[in-house]
Amino acid sequence: IAQFEKAAANLNKGAERPDFYFLLASAYLRTGARDKGFEALRVARAVNKEPAEGECYIAGCMVQLGMLDEALEAVDRGIEAEPKFGWPWSNKGDIFFLLGRRDEALSSWRAAQRLYPCRLPPFERPAFLLQEEGFYSEGVLEVLRTIERMPNHGGAHALLAQSLRAGRGRIDARPAHEAVAALEIALEHAPKSAWAKNSLALASIDDAPVERSRLERAAGLLLDALDGPELKQREERALCRTLEEVARFFAEVGEDSGLAWLPRLPSFAGTDVIFSVLEGSKVDLRVPESLRASAAEAEAQERLAYLEARVVEKAGDTTAARERLTSLAARSGTPEPVMRLALL
């Protein structure tokens, strides 16, 4: 509030920004300063030239105060001022939801989807509502409409991954197949999207029993995504969680080497995920020759060395594993060998 007030004092009359005063009003109201909050709203309204947008800010302030009927009146004024602007419709859905008026909330959100197709909130709200009510297939179909409108939106892919995981084993065949088809198209639009690859991998392993070809496709997608540049922590966690599921499926198959399903050398994080699954198994692990042959570059050689160290460790030879990790840590700039060495 102090920063807002300082900035407000420096604003010239000709440069007054309504969004600034709406935010100031929100800050006042959050701390219980209602009189100052309403005064800031009055100033905001006086200088505002976008009535529909302004009413959305006012509705947000009213929601903070629990004045939901007044918030509804504000968004209705916004809709009346600009009927083809989607933001008031999206906010109206949120307010109806808070009022417990489910059907009207869904109707408002869907109106916002038609008018506001490049923003995620009016698409994700219905999906979350349907999932909470146990309608997992309907929730996935709702998200697929989002993917259709925004095929390269990372948030939409993350939402689909969440929906597929929440509905695991409870999604009908048609939505599951539609999800795979939609994600294949989305991946063409966003070939580097970690979320798209994660969602496609999840959709590929939803059937029971899972076909081996789909498992292999899922593994390839995940290992490829884990190699992506500038991978965010949240993305890496999601990819590793799905890779763990894939590794469990392969562990149940009972491969002789336990690692024969790997299409490429995994990242250090991927290797750790795989061995977390294999930790309690009695399978005699071996590194496939195909992976050894693929380790031509320095980075691949480091990955191979880490994988071999984990195989040796799994076999019970911790001394040899420590020696390999010590050697790798000395020449590698990544933290995983050091961290594994510390655990040993």
Side-chain angles (χ1 to χ4, degrees):
I1 286 174
Q3 291 296 326
F4 272 127
E5 289 177 338
K6 181 179 178 181
N10 294 327
L11 279 175
N12 297 320
K13 287 293 182 184
E16 287 177 340
R17 292 180 52 186
D19 56 343
F20 171 86
Y21 284 102
F22 284 125
L23 292 171
L24 176 59
S26 176
Y28 278 136
L29 294 172
R30 284 177 184 272
T31 56
R34 291 176 63 124
D35 290 343
K36 288 185 175 181
F38 282 112
E39 173 60 20
L41 281 178
R42 186 194 66 76
V43 175
R45 266 185 148 157
V47 299
N48 182 44
K49 296 179 181 178
E50 299 289 343
E53 184 175 311
E55 295 297 344
C56 287
Y57 281 115
I58 291 171
C61 291
M62 295 301 102
V63 168
Q64 286 181 18
L65 296 172
M67 300 168 63
L68 298 182
D69 290 333
E70 290 79 358
L72 199 56
E73 291 172 4
V75 293
D76 280 338
R77 288 194 299 269
I79 291 169
E80 184 179 355
E82 199 171 342
K84 294 185 178 180
F85 185 37
W87 190 10
W89 283 105
S90 181
N91 285 7
K92 190 172 185 177
D94 296 344
I95 297 164
F96 275 139
F97 175 74
L98 293 172
L99 287 167
R101 295 159 66 173
R102 173 202 185 269
D103 292 341
E104 290 165 291
L106 284 172
S107 177
S108 298
W109 284 326
R110 289 189 173 126
Q113 290 174 4
R114 293 189 295 273
L115 299 168
Y116 212 33
C118 59
R119 297 285 291 177
L120 195 57
F123 289 93
E124 67 182 355
R125 303 283 202 274
F128 286 139
L129 174 61
L130 290 165
Q131 287 173 34
E132 287 175 1
E133 294 176 342
F135 299 112
Y136 296 102
S137 295
E138 291 81 355
V140 168
L141 290 172
E142 197 75 42
V143 183
L144 289 178
R145 279 193 279 273
T146 317
I147 300 289
E148 183 180 343
R149 297 288 186 91
M150 299 177 281
N152 59 348
H153 194 299
H157 297 308
L159 178 61
L160 183 55
Q162 187 274 339
S163 300
L164 290 168
R165 194 179 295 284
R168 175 60 58 82
R170 293 170 287 191
I171 299 172
D172 296 336
R174 185 177 71 85
H177 293 156
E178 286 186 15
V180 172
L183 285 163
E184 293 284 8
I185 295 171
L187 202 55
E188 294 178 6
H189 286 273
K192 296 182 180 179
S193 170
W195 284 118
K197 292 174 183 177
N198 184 59
S199 295
L200 184 52
L202 276 169
S204 299
I205 61 174
D206 191 60
D207 290 341
V210 185
E211 296 177 5
R212 183 182 177 85
S213 60
R214 301 186 76 173
L215 275 175
E216 290 173 345
R217 176 80 195 287
L221 287 165
L222 295 167
L223 293 175
D224 184 60
L226 282 167
D227 283 342
E230 300 178 2
L231 196 65
K232 294 181 176 63
Q233 190 176 43
R234 181 171 173 239
E235 293 172 331
E236 185 177 58
R237 283 199 302 267
L239 290 165
C240 286
R241 186 178 177 188
T242 309
L243 180 61
E244 182 178 348
E245 295 184 45
V246 172
R248 289 192 188 283
F249 276 117
F250 276 112
E252 291 169 4
V253 173
E255 294 278 4
D256 290 339
S257 74
L259 300 172
W261 58 273
L262 286 172
R264 58 192 294 178
L265 283 163
S267 64
F268 290 138
T271 294
D272 286 338
V273 168
I274 293 164
F275 275 83
S276 71
V277 172
L278 296 172
E279 191 172 0
S281 70
K282 297 181 180 180
V283 65
D284 182 20
L285 295 181
R286 297 188 305 276
V287 177
E289 289 302 320
S290 59
L291 296 184
R292 294 184 190 279
S294 68
E297 299 179 357
E299 182 181 357
Q301 291 171 6
E302 290 180 0
R303 291 184 178 192
L304 177 61
Y306 190 65
L307 184 65
E308 289 176 331
R310 294 304 309 270
V311 168
V312 171
E313 176 193 341
K314 176 72 173 60
D317 193 345
T318 55
T319 300
R322 278 197 293 268
E323 290 175 354
R324 289 171 180 262
L325 289 170
T326 300
S327 174
L328 178 58
R331 66 178 189 273
S332 173
T334 54
E336 285 86 356
V338 178
M339 292 167 64
R340 194 66 206 169
L341 193 57
L343 286 172
L344 282 177

